[in-house]
Amino acid sequence: MENLSYTPEEPIAAIATALSPSALGIIRTSGKGSIENVAKIFSRPKALTEAQGNTKIFSRPKALTEAQGNTIVYGWISDGKEKIDEVLVSVFRSPKSSTGEDMAEITCHGGSVVVTAIFNALLANGFRQAERGEFTFRGYINGKTDLTKAEAIKEIIDSRTDTSRSRAAGRLAGSLFAEIDSVKKLIVDTLAAVEVEIEYPEDEETIADAYDTKDLEEAVKRLETLVKSWKTEKLYQDGVRVVLCGKTNAGKSSLFNALLKEERAIVSDIEGTTRDWIESWVSFDGVPARLFDTAGLRETDDVIEARGVEMTRELSSDADIILYLLDSSAGLTAEDEAFLLHAKESYEVPLILIWNKVDKLSSEQEKVKTDIVDEKSQVKICAKTGLGIEELSHLVKEKLSLLSTLDRGAALGSERQKNAVAQALESISHALEATRAGYALDAAVQDMEDALDFLGEVTGEVTSEDVLDSIFSHFCVGK
C-alpha cells in the first residue's frame, strides 16, 4: 500500500486462504459493482444480483435460527471459455458488510490451481488485486471498525499462544476502545466545566478551586494503568528469549523436547552431542517464547564444540531469562558455580536453576539446593517423565513479572497506542499542575484539548496518512 494511493470503492479482489491443497479456498471481493462483476462469470447471474444479503450470522444462537437465507448462492464459475469450479458465493450488501461496501466472497474447492484460476477470472472482469490490509482499511474509513480493533485483527493472526490470541480478542471486542472512550468523557466533562468558568468567572483574580479536578485525577490513574499494560502486552506479542544452558549431559535436550512436546533435539548419553544451538517457539503458561537449546558448557579441545560453548555464553548474555540445568544426581560442580556467579553479576536477567533427573535421587540427595540462586528461583524436574514441567512454566512467567500486571482488563496493543496514550497522560498531568500552580485556565484547556487529540489518535478519530499506511501495509493481502 503506497501512501494509500488506491481508489476507495474501486472493485478489489484477493485470495484470502493459503495457496496449498485444502478442503476449501476463499476469494474475497469488495467495492462498487463487485456483485455485478462476479455475476459476469457466474452461471446464475440473476440469482446473484438479486440476492438480498445482510443476514450475516454472528455468535448469537437466535440469529442462526431466524436468518432469512438467500445470501449464499450456488453455481459455477467460468472464465468465459470453460467451467472452472462449482462454488458458493456469499453476498453482503452495503452498508451491512465488514468493509461497508457491497461484497461477494467465493468459496471453492481448495488447491492453488482452482483458486488462482478463479482469481484471474475476476481480474479479467473488472477487479484489481487488493493491496495489503485494504479490506480492513475500507472497513475503517467506512466506520465499520476503529484502529484499535483493526490492529487487534493483525494481533490475532500473528498470535503464538492461546493467551496472546485471547488478549487480542478482547481489543477486537472493543475493550480498549471502551476504556479510551470512557477516559475521554472524563476529560470532556471537565473541559465543559472549565469553559463555563472562563465565560462566567466568580473571581477574576484567581483560579484556585475554579473547577473540580476529580475527573482529571481519575483520568490520570486510568491512563497510567494503560501505559503500564504495554510492557505485558509486548511480551505476549513479541515473545521472550529463553536460553536453556548447563553442562553436558545435564538433560537440556530432553527438557527442550519436553517443553516443545516433540522430538526436536537429539538426546544422547554421549557428551558434546549438541554442538550448536537450536531454537523453537514454545509457550510458558501462555507466554510465547523463543527457546534456545545450547551446547553443553565444558572445556574441550574440539574446535567446533568449543565454538558452540562460546555461542552459548553469547546467547545467555542476550537472553530475557536464563534456565540453567543441573544433573541433580551429580550435584553442583565448580564449573556450575562459576557460570551462575558470572550470570548473576554480568547478565542482569532473571535466572532459574533447574535440578533435573530428580527421579535418580536418594532420600538424602533430594535435599539438593544452593545459596548462589534464591530458593524461590529453583525448581526440581524430571525432563524424561515431565515431572515439574508445569511448575517450571509458572515460575518462568512469574519471573517475567507478568502476574503483577493487568490480567483481563483493557490493555494497549501496539507501540503506537502506547506513545499516544503516554502523550495524553503527560498533557492531563500538565493541566493539573498548571491549575494547582494558579496559571490561567486557558493553559489547562489547551492541555485537555491536546489530550483528547492524542486519545483520538489511538482510535483513529484523529490520524495522519503516514500512520494509516504504517498500520495497514503490514496486513496480509485479503485482510
Side-chain angles (χ1 to χ4, degrees), residues 300-318:
T300 177
D301 294 328
D302 187 305
V303 176
I304 297 176
E305 187 182 350
R307 176 54 184 153
V309 173
E310 183 182 344
M311 292 176 69
T312 297
R313 298 186 187 279
E314 291 174 357
L315 283 169
S316 298
S317 67
D318 197 33

Side-chain angles (χ1 to χ4, degrees), residues 212-229:
D212 190 346
T213 61
K214 181 178 64 176
D215 282 353
L216 285 191
E217 291 165 356
E218 175 65 18
V220 165
K221 290 179 183 177
R222 290 164 70 171
L223 291 176
E224 285 176 341
T225 300
L226 281 177
V227 170
K228 291 176 182 177
S229 74

